[in-house]
Amino acid sequence: MNLFDVYPLYNITPVKALGCKIIDNKGIEYLDLYSGHGVISIGHTHPEYVAKVKEQLDNLSFYSNAIQNPLQVELAEKLGKLSGLEEYSLFLCSSGAEANENALKLASFHTNKSRVISFENAFHGRTSAAVATTDNPKIVAPMNAQQVVTFLPLNEIELVEAELKKGDVASVIIEPIQGVGGLDQGTTEFFQALEKVCNQYDVVLILDEVQSGYGRSGKFFAHQHHGIRPDIICMAKGMGNGFPIGGILTSPKFKPSYGLLGTTFGGSHLACAAGISVLEIIEKEKLMDNATKTAEYFFEAIKVVPEIIKVKGRGLMLGVEFDFDVSALRKKMIMEKHIFTGSSSNKNLLRILPPLTIKKADIDTFIVALQESLEELK
């Protein structure tokens, strides 16, 4: 049997990792500035995380959501405290797409409407409704296209309000910082106005924090930089440091009922153990502070690279933009300089999503390698 060939692969086989470093099967060490799409939040194989997951594996890895699971309660309490959103409720699932899918479904139940407002260059996942709200026709199958979605530009609140006035919109879904789309983001003025008009027209405001959440922006959730309180917040990537876990936080306006939402694997004992450990380490090691301070250093230090036309993003969710396609540059950085970075739908942009444990010395290593690579490509 062959693998279904849907991923273009680099000829690199990682076998071990620690902190911000990855080692392949040839013994080559790589600096990880991408975290596997922003998944590794507390660093690879953090010893306390590994111990917590191993301990839980020795006891009980999984049973259904039909029984008591105190670990879910503990995870919810720790998450509420660290995020400052203790009045919200937690529903656990297994991925970011599943989180967004449940958010869109819950919004539709709540409003009894179906149309969704999304934004240009958005990415919300690959499942049925989530992919329909993703601004990439290449990955939207005909059955997904049955969803009624309107795409609007960022930062144009008048266009949003004009759509909400029509009375058929269930929800607005938006990333605080676009990931796949290339690190663009709404202004504080836009987000605050968006919250206001959604409340005015009884439309559910969904913040997709799948990539930007869990301390990556320097606050627990990136929307908190704008002082807003969304109706639903979607989470996943950084939640389990590589263990599949996702979830939505719902504001008190939503009333649960048996069977409203459901999942087989979401909130398993093993997933919760991973999630609890991540929260404890983020708090204990002050990783949100590290994200802020390291980002400040990055923005200043990167100025020595004149080829960069713009640095985008916030915290440790960053992009460096050039006036040329960076495909060759990214490949050289990986294969010759042994540094992982990411791509986006903006072909001129390198995405930087390191573990939140990254050090300033690692940023220096990246900048030197970037300068060398640019010179060698001339």
Side-chain angles (χ1 to χ4, degrees), residues 305-343:
V305 186
E307 293 89 345
I308 294 173
I309 60 172
K310 192 172 186 180
V311 181
K312 293 181 172 181
R314 193 190 292 266
L316 293 176
M317 188 172 176
L318 299 167
V320 288
E321 189 172 13
F322 299 85
D323 61 1
F324 57 86
D325 188 317
V326 298
S327 300
L329 174 61
R330 181 169 173 251
K331 184 175 182 180
K332 177 180 272 288
M333 292 286 287
I334 295 173
M335 302 307 297
E336 298 179 23
K337 307 302 179 182
H338 306 137
I339 298 177
F340 282 99
T341 60
S343 60

Side-chain angles (χ1 to χ4, degrees), residues 267-303:
S268 74
H269 296 75
L270 201 52
C272 287
I276 290 166
S277 182
V278 166
L279 291 171
E280 289 174 346
I281 292 165
I282 287 175
E283 182 176 28
K284 178 182 175 182
E285 299 188 4
K286 297 181 171 57
L287 294 185
M288 286 185 276
D289 288 344
N290 189 61
T292 298
K293 291 173 183 175
T294 309
E296 290 171 354
Y297 182 79
F298 183 95
F299 273 93
E300 190 62 34
I302 203 73
K303 290 177 181 178

Side-chain angles (χ1 to χ4, degrees), residues 43 119 138 159 170 237 272 288 302 363:
F119 293 87
K138 293 179 181 178
L159 297 181
K237 291 188 186 298
C272 287
M288 286 185 276
I302 203 73
I363 302 302

Side-chain angles (χ1 to χ4, degrees), residues 12 14 22 30-34 333-334 338-342 351:
I12 298 170
I22 292 173
Y30 296 80
L31 174 62
D32 185 9
L33 297 186
Y34 191 54
M333 292 286 287
I334 295 173
H338 306 137
I339 298 177
F340 282 99
T341 60
R351 259 199 300 170

Side-chain angles (χ1 to χ4, degrees), residues 146-367:
Q146 295 178 90
Q147 309 282 350
V148 185
V149 180
T150 302
F151 291 95
L152 299 175
L154 284 173
N155 294 321
E156 297 195 26
I157 194 65
E158 297 83 5
L159 297 181
V160 178
E161 186 168 14
E163 296 299 325
L164 302 194
K165 283 180 178 178
K166 295 176 182 178
D168 64 337
V169 176
S171 60
V172 173
I173 185 167
I174 184 169
E175 301 157 274
I177 307 168
Q178 291 186 333
V180 173
L183 284 299
D184 290 321
Q185 56 187 312
T187 64
T188 293
E189 181 183 23
F190 176 72
F191 275 108
Q192 291 180 353
L194 187 60
E195 179 187 37
K196 182 178 179 181
V197 295
C198 284
N199 287 334
Q200 181 181 343
Y201 295 100
D202 195 26
V203 171
V204 175
L205 177 58
I206 302 169
L207 265 290
D208 177 353
E209 294 267 13
V210 167
Q211 190 170 113
S212 56
Y214 265 68
R216 183 154 292 281
S217 73
K219 291 188 179 292
F220 196 87
F221 290 117
H223 73 263
Q224 292 172 322
H225 289 282
H226 307 297
I228 63 170
R229 306 287 276 191
D231 297 310
I232 304 177
I233 303 161
C234 304
M235 317 165 290
K237 291 188 186 298
M239 283 185 78
N241 204 51
F243 196 95
I245 182 172
I248 59 172
L249 297 181
T250 60
S251 75
K253 74 164 54 175
F254 299 98
K255 304 305 175 189
S257 61
Y258 294 148
L260 185 68
L261 302 176
T263 175
T264 296
F265 296 107
S268 74
H269 296 75
L270 201 52
C272 287
I276 290 166
S277 182
V278 166
L279 291 171
E280 289 174 346
I281 292 165
I282 287 175
E283 182 176 28
K284 178 182 175 182
E285 299 188 4
K286 297 181 171 57
L287 294 185
M288 286 185 276
D289 288 344
N290 189 61
T292 298
K293 291 173 183 175
T294 309
E296 290 171 354
Y297 182 79
F298 183 95
F299 273 93
E300 190 62 34
I302 203 73
K303 290 177 181 178
V304 301
V305 186
E307 293 89 345
I308 294 173
I309 60 172
K310 192 172 186 180
V311 181
K312 293 181 172 181
R314 193 190 292 266
L316 293 176
M317 188 172 176
L318 299 167
V320 288
E321 189 172 13
F322 299 85
D323 61 1
F324 57 86
D325 188 317
V326 298
S327 300
L329 174 61
R330 181 169 173 251
K331 184 175 182 180
K332 177 180 272 288
M333 292 286 287
I334 295 173
M335 302 307 297
E336 298 179 23
K337 307 302 179 182
H338 306 137
I339 298 177
F340 282 99
T341 60
S343 60
S344 74
S345 60
N346 178 351
K347 301 303 180 186
N348 293 356
L349 183 130
L350 283 178
R351 259 199 300 170
I352 314 296
L353 300 168
L356 305 185
T357 54
I358 195 85
K359 301 289 188 275
K360 292 176 181 177
D362 298 316
I363 302 302
D364 293 338
T365 298
F366 165 71
I367 291 172

